[in-house]
Amino acid sequence: MTFENTRDSFDTQSRDASGKVVRVMVVDDSLTARTVLGKVVDRTDDLSLVGTASSAEQAIGLLDTVVVDVILLDLEMPGMGGLAGLPHILEKSGGAKVLVVSSLTAEGAQETISALSMGASDVVQKPEPGQFNAEYRADLAKRIRALAGAPVSASFEQAADESARKVDEPELRKAPNKSVDCIAIGGSTGGIHSLVQFLGKLPKSIVTPIVVTQHLPNAFIPIFASQVETASNRPTRIAEDGMELKRGEILVAPGDGHVSFVRDGARAVVKITHEAVASGCCPSVDPMLATLGEVLEGRVIGVVLSGMGRDGQNGAKTLVENGGIMVAECEETSAVWGMPRGIAEAGLASEIAAPVDLAHWITRRTAVAV
């Protein structure tokens, strides 16, 4: 078996301000894709291409000889294929993060969402002819750094946003003792795997309505909603204008708008909005948390799971100011501790824990109110 191994180039890579070089492997059966993705890594000072493989089987074998931080993985390959190989790659890579390379269209969405549910951390656009430009290179490098826990940019004012540096133990906010009319969940990079774990431990006896905002391309949302329904064993719908919260059901934000809520008499109903938000995300977690906090007068538990950036922090502040409760995923289980870190460092969280433990915590909080 022959591998394309560039491990010898590792020591020649220059480093960013943090001194960290991110070790990357590219797994794709297309020579063109391997070449394009490999060039992005080779031309970025703080990234090092330690190996490439044209199949999942080759990647698994190569992991015996190299140490990797991030693996770029195509799912559609001859032989075992990326999806079937993913559990073996995750197990053998010693904690490396997997970045799925996808067309970001409805075709292949099922496999991509399945991979994200199984433990892949993020998805990136598969390079098309002529797409190898500065914007594409910058976005890919940013995603790789975030997954590896390296600073996103040495010049950006939040350069250490996704860094691996330890912070002081955040102080927890005392949770108000009140009924809960909704559980609102937000996530991004790594958030789908965390969400599946969370929902899997939330008992069916909890019939509190659930709303989910997950950063995903719009073409992926129907498949994502189906995965959520399976993981939660609850009816799940994509949110549309005029829908109302229903006990025992889940609403999922569409991929091309923010799910917000307005008061219609005694009902809290959905209003899909498209305003610009501070995070630049669409859909954004901020409008969901802020409007639910206002419309339901704080009878909400907000959950922020793994994700890059600070989306959700502004909305969480509004929710808490209205008497709501916020919890966040801990650093140890987050693929990227960005979004939950924003909640924690702002002093908005009443609990910071792994997804399964957050589910147990919420079960205890809502048991009386259900």
Side-chain angles (χ1 to χ4, degrees):
M1 186 178 297
T2 302
F3 300 111
E4 302 160 63
N5 188 341
T6 59
R7 189 181 188 184
D8 292 341
S9 68
F10 176 78
D11 291 332
T12 69
Q13 298 291 316
S14 60
R15 289 160 168 74
D16 68 358
S18 72
K20 178 171 185 175
V21 171
V22 180
R23 298 160 294 194
V24 181
M25 178 191 294
V26 176
V27 185
D28 199 305
D29 65 315
S30 165
L31 176 59
T32 300
R34 291 199 305 276
T35 301
V36 170
L37 295 171
K39 282 183 178 179
V40 173
V41 176
D42 274 337
R43 296 180 183 182
T44 306
D45 287 345
D46 57 329
L47 306 182
S48 173
L49 185 64
V50 298
T52 65
S54 59
S55 68
E57 292 89 340
Q58 287 187 352
I60 293 167
L62 183 56
L63 287 169
D64 284 329
T65 64
V66 297
V67 178
V68 184
D69 299 307
V70 177
I71 299 169
L72 306 186
L73 178 67
D74 181 27
L75 298 181
E76 297 183 8
M77 296 182 291
M80 180 185 293
L83 186 62
L86 178 59
H88 306 285
I89 290 171
L90 288 170
E91 180 180 3
K92 204 166 186 181
S93 64
K97 304 294 174 56
V98 172
L99 180 57
V100 172
V101 181
S102 168
S103 63
L104 301 189
T105 61
E107 183 180 354
Q110 179 74 58
E111 283 198 336
T112 301
I113 296 296
S114 294
L116 294 170
S117 300
M118 291 164 58
S121 297
D122 199 4
V123 57
V124 69
Q125 173 77 46
K126 194 176 185 72
E128 302 292 341
Q131 193 185 26
F132 185 54
N133 53 35
E135 182 180 359
Y136 182 85
R137 292 198 301 269
D139 178 67
L140 179 58
K142 177 181 178 181
R143 290 171 184 267
I144 292 172
R145 291 190 191 101
L147 290 179
V152 172
S153 168
S155 61
F156 189 56
E157 65 177 349
Q158 292 180 336
D161 183 38
E162 323 303 344
S163 74
R165 71 174 177 84
K166 294 293 182 181
V167 298
D168 294 335
E169 190 72 24
E171 190 171 330
L172 297 180
R173 173 182 290 268
K174 181 176 174 58
N177 186 19
K178 63 195 313 181
S179 62
V180 178
D181 290 348
C182 182
I183 299 170
I185 308 168
S188 184
T189 308
I192 293 180
H193 183 55
S194 297
L195 178 64
V196 167
Q197 293 180 312
F198 174 87
L199 293 174
K201 293 299 181 180
L202 200 67
K204 281 287 288 180
S205 60
I206 302 298
V207 295
T208 307
I210 299 172
V211 185
V212 177
T213 293
Q214 171 70 38
H215 296 168
L216 274 177
N218 193 41
F220 285 15
I221 295 298
I223 300 299
F224 172 62
S226 177
Q227 288 275 16
V228 169
E229 183 165 277
T230 299
S232 66
N233 195 24
R234 290 168 168 81
T236 301
R237 299 181 292 167
I238 299 173
E240 298 178 1
D241 283 341
M243 286 184 175
E244 59 183 300
L245 298 172
K246 291 186 178 180
R247 287 164 65 84
E249 290 192 359
I250 298 178
L251 292 180
V252 171
D256 57 355
H258 316 304
V259 60
S260 304
F261 288 83
V262 296
R263 176 65 66 181
D264 181 11
R267 303 182 308 151
V269 300
V270 171
K271 180 175 177 59
I272 302 300
T273 61
H274 302 87
E275 73 274 15
V277 295
S279 67
C281 299
C282 185
S284 169
V285 179
D286 281 323
M288 175 185 69
L289 295 177
T291 57
L292 278 171
E294 293 165 349
V295 169
L296 297 181
E297 299 176 339
R299 297 185 301 277
V300 182
I301 294 180
V303 183
V304 172
L305 300 174
S306 176
M308 183 169 65
R310 286 293 191 265
D311 186 29
Q313 185 173 331
N314 292 339
K317 184 174 183 294
T318 301
L319 189 151
V320 168
E321 288 172 346
N322 279 276
I325 299 169
M326 284 301 308
V327 300
E329 183 171 357
C330 62
E331 183 175 8
E332 290 74 16
T333 60
S334 295
V336 178
W337 202 51
M339 287 168 55
R341 178 177 183 168
I343 305 301
E345 292 188 337
L348 299 170
S350 295
E351 180 71 359
I352 303 169
V356 294
D357 295 323
L358 292 178
H360 295 321
W361 189 90
I362 289 174
T363 299
R364 294 192 297 270
R365 293 289 311 183
T366 57
V368 176
V370 176

Short mmCIF file of all heavy atoms in Angstrom, two decimals, residues 17 48 55 75 89 100 103 106 145 154-155 157 160 166 171 175 177 184 214-215 232 257 308 326 336:
data_model
loop_
_atom_site.label_atom_id
_atom_site.label_comp_id
_atom_site.label_asym_id
_atom_site.label_seq_id
_atom_site.Cartn_x
_atom_site.Cartn_y
_atom_site.Cartn_z
N ALA A 17 1.96 33.34 15.64
CA ALA A 17 2.39 33.99 16.88
C ALA A 17 2.30 33.08 18.09
O ALA A 17 3.01 33.26 19.07
CB ALA A 17 1.55 35.26 17.10
N SER A 48 0.59 22.43 8.43
CA SER A 48 1.56 21.49 7.87
C SER A 48 0.83 20.27 7.32
O SER A 48 0.07 19.61 8.03
CB SER A 48 2.55 21.06 8.95
OG SER A 48 3.39 20.02 8.47
N SER A 55 -8.14 6.94 -0.02
CA SER A 55 -9.25 6.11 0.45
C SER A 55 -9.25 6.11 1.97
O SER A 55 -8.25 6.46 2.62
CB SER A 55 -9.12 4.68 -0.06
OG SER A 55 -8.01 4.03 0.55
N LEU A 75 -16.38 12.00 1.74
CA LEU A 75 -17.22 10.87 2.15
C LEU A 75 -17.44 9.86 1.04
O LEU A 75 -17.61 8.67 1.29
CB LEU A 75 -18.57 11.37 2.67
CG LEU A 75 -18.52 12.27 3.92
CD1 LEU A 75 -19.92 12.67 4.33
CD2 LEU A 75 -17.80 11.57 5.07
N ILE A 89 -11.45 6.11 11.79
CA ILE A 89 -10.53 7.25 11.70
C ILE A 89 -10.54 8.04 13.00
O ILE A 89 -9.48 8.42 13.53
CB ILE A 89 -10.91 8.14 10.51
CG1 ILE A 89 -10.58 7.41 9.19
CG2 ILE A 89 -10.19 9.48 10.57
CD1 ILE A 89 -11.12 8.10 7.96
N VAL A 100 -15.36 17.53 7.19
CA VAL A 100 -15.91 16.87 6.01
C VAL A 100 -15.85 17.82 4.81
O VAL A 100 -16.18 19.00 4.91
CB VAL A 100 -17.38 16.46 6.26
CG1 VAL A 100 -18.03 15.95 4.98
CG2 VAL A 100 -17.44 15.39 7.35
N SER A 103 -20.05 18.98 -1.21
CA SER A 103 -20.53 19.92 -2.23
C SER A 103 -21.48 20.95 -1.64
O SER A 103 -21.81 21.94 -2.28
CB SER A 103 -21.24 19.16 -3.35
OG SER A 103 -22.38 18.50 -2.84
N ALA A 106 -27.98 19.53 -1.76
CA ALA A 106 -28.88 18.49 -1.26
C ALA A 106 -28.34 17.10 -1.56
O ALA A 106 -28.51 16.17 -0.76
CB ALA A 106 -30.27 18.67 -1.87
N ARG A 145 -7.76 25.93 11.72
CA ARG A 145 -7.19 26.46 12.96
C ARG A 145 -8.17 26.34 14.13
O ARG A 145 -7.79 25.99 15.25
CB ARG A 145 -6.80 27.92 12.78
CG ARG A 145 -5.63 28.18 11.86
CD ARG A 145 -5.19 29.62 11.96
NE ARG A 145 -4.24 29.97 10.90
CZ ARG A 145 -4.56 30.63 9.80
NH1 ARG A 145 -5.81 31.04 9.60
NH2 ARG A 145 -3.65 30.91 8.90
N ALA A 154 -3.93 36.35 13.98
CA ALA A 154 -3.09 37.08 14.91
C ALA A 154 -3.44 38.56 14.96
O ALA A 154 -3.09 39.25 15.90
CB ALA A 154 -1.62 36.91 14.52
N SER A 155 -4.13 39.08 13.93
CA SER A 155 -4.45 40.51 13.88
C SER A 155 -5.87 40.82 14.29
O SER A 155 -6.21 41.96 14.58
CB SER A 155 -4.22 41.04 12.46
OG SER A 155 -5.05 40.38 11.54
N GLU A 157 -9.19 41.23 16.51
CA GLU A 157 -9.28 41.66 17.91
C GLU A 157 -9.67 40.52 18.84
O GLU A 157 -9.39 40.58 20.04
CB GLU A 157 -10.26 42.82 18.06
CG GLU A 157 -11.70 42.46 17.74
CD GLU A 157 -12.64 43.63 17.97
OE1 GLU A 157 -12.18 44.62 18.56
OE2 GLU A 157 -13.81 43.55 17.58
N ALA A 160 -7.70 35.21 20.01
CA ALA A 160 -7.63 34.02 20.85
C ALA A 160 -8.99 33.41 21.08
O ALA A 160 -9.15 32.54 21.93
CB ALA A 160 -7.00 34.38 22.20
N LYS A 166 -6.21 28.07 28.56
CA LYS A 166 -7.15 27.85 29.64
C LYS A 166 -7.58 29.20 30.22
O LYS A 166 -6.80 30.15 30.27
CB LYS A 166 -6.54 26.98 30.74
CG LYS A 166 -6.24 25.56 30.29
CD LYS A 166 -7.52 24.80 29.98
CE LYS A 166 -7.22 23.37 29.57
NZ LYS A 166 -8.44 22.61 29.24
N GLU A 171 -17.69 31.79 36.69
CA GLU A 171 -18.61 31.80 37.82
C GLU A 171 -20.02 31.53 37.32
O GLU A 171 -20.48 32.14 36.35
CB GLU A 171 -18.56 33.17 38.52
CG GLU A 171 -19.31 33.19 39.84
CD GLU A 171 -19.06 34.46 40.61
OE1 GLU A 171 -17.97 35.04 40.48
OE2 GLU A 171 -19.98 34.88 41.36
N ALA A 175 -29.69 30.04 38.97
CA ALA A 175 -30.84 29.88 38.09
C ALA A 175 -32.13 30.22 38.82
O ALA A 175 -32.37 29.73 39.93
CB ALA A 175 -30.92 28.45 37.57
N ASN A 177 -35.95 30.11 39.97
CA ASN A 177 -36.86 28.98 40.15
C ASN A 177 -38.21 29.32 39.52
O ASN A 177 -39.06 29.94 40.15
CB ASN A 177 -37.02 28.68 41.64
CG ASN A 177 -37.84 27.42 41.89
OD1 ASN A 177 -37.98 26.60 40.99
ND2 ASN A 177 -38.37 27.28 43.08
N ALA A 184 -34.46 26.22 24.18
CA ALA A 184 -33.91 26.77 22.92
C ALA A 184 -32.44 26.40 22.81
O ALA A 184 -31.65 26.73 23.71
CB ALA A 184 -34.08 28.28 22.88
N GLN A 214 -29.14 25.71 14.23
CA GLN A 214 -27.84 25.12 13.95
C GLN A 214 -27.30 25.74 12.68
O GLN A 214 -28.00 25.83 11.67
CB GLN A 214 -27.96 23.60 13.77
CG GLN A 214 -26.72 22.90 13.26
CD GLN A 214 -25.58 22.86 14.26
OE1 GLN A 214 -25.81 22.70 15.45
NE2 GLN A 214 -24.35 22.99 13.77
N HIS A 215 -26.05 26.19 12.70
CA HIS A 215 -25.44 26.77 11.50
C HIS A 215 -25.22 25.68 10.46
O HIS A 215 -24.39 24.79 10.65
CB HIS A 215 -24.09 27.41 11.85
CG HIS A 215 -24.19 28.56 12.79
ND1 HIS A 215 -23.10 29.11 13.42
CD2 HIS A 215 -25.26 29.29 13.20
CE1 HIS A 215 -23.48 30.12 14.19
NE2 HIS A 215 -24.79 30.24 14.08
N SER A 232 -34.16 12.45 18.76
CA SER A 232 -34.97 12.88 19.90
C SER A 232 -36.22 12.05 20.12
O SER A 232 -36.83 12.11 21.19
CB SER A 232 -35.41 14.33 19.69
OG SER A 232 -36.29 14.43 18.57
N GLY A 257 -32.76 31.95 7.16
CA GLY A 257 -33.38 33.00 7.95
C GLY A 257 -33.30 32.68 9.43
O GLY A 257 -33.04 31.53 9.83
N MET A 308 -17.96 27.76 16.66
CA MET A 308 -16.95 28.80 16.49
C MET A 308 -17.61 30.17 16.55
O MET A 308 -18.72 30.35 16.07
CB MET A 308 -16.26 28.62 15.14
CG MET A 308 -15.13 29.60 14.87
SD MET A 308 -14.17 29.11 13.40
CE MET A 308 -15.39 29.28 12.10
N MET A 326 -29.60 30.20 31.16
CA MET A 326 -28.67 29.78 30.12
C MET A 326 -27.74 28.70 30.65
O MET A 326 -27.26 28.78 31.78
CB MET A 326 -27.83 30.95 29.63
CG MET A 326 -28.54 31.94 28.72
SD MET A 326 -29.21 31.21 27.20
CE MET A 326 -27.77 30.35 26.54
N VAL A 336 -15.17 23.01 19.16
CA VAL A 336 -14.63 24.38 19.24
C VAL A 336 -15.36 25.08 20.37
O VAL A 336 -16.57 25.25 20.34
CB VAL A 336 -14.85 25.15 17.92
CG1 VAL A 336 -14.33 26.57 18.05
CG2 VAL A 336 -14.15 24.45 16.76
#
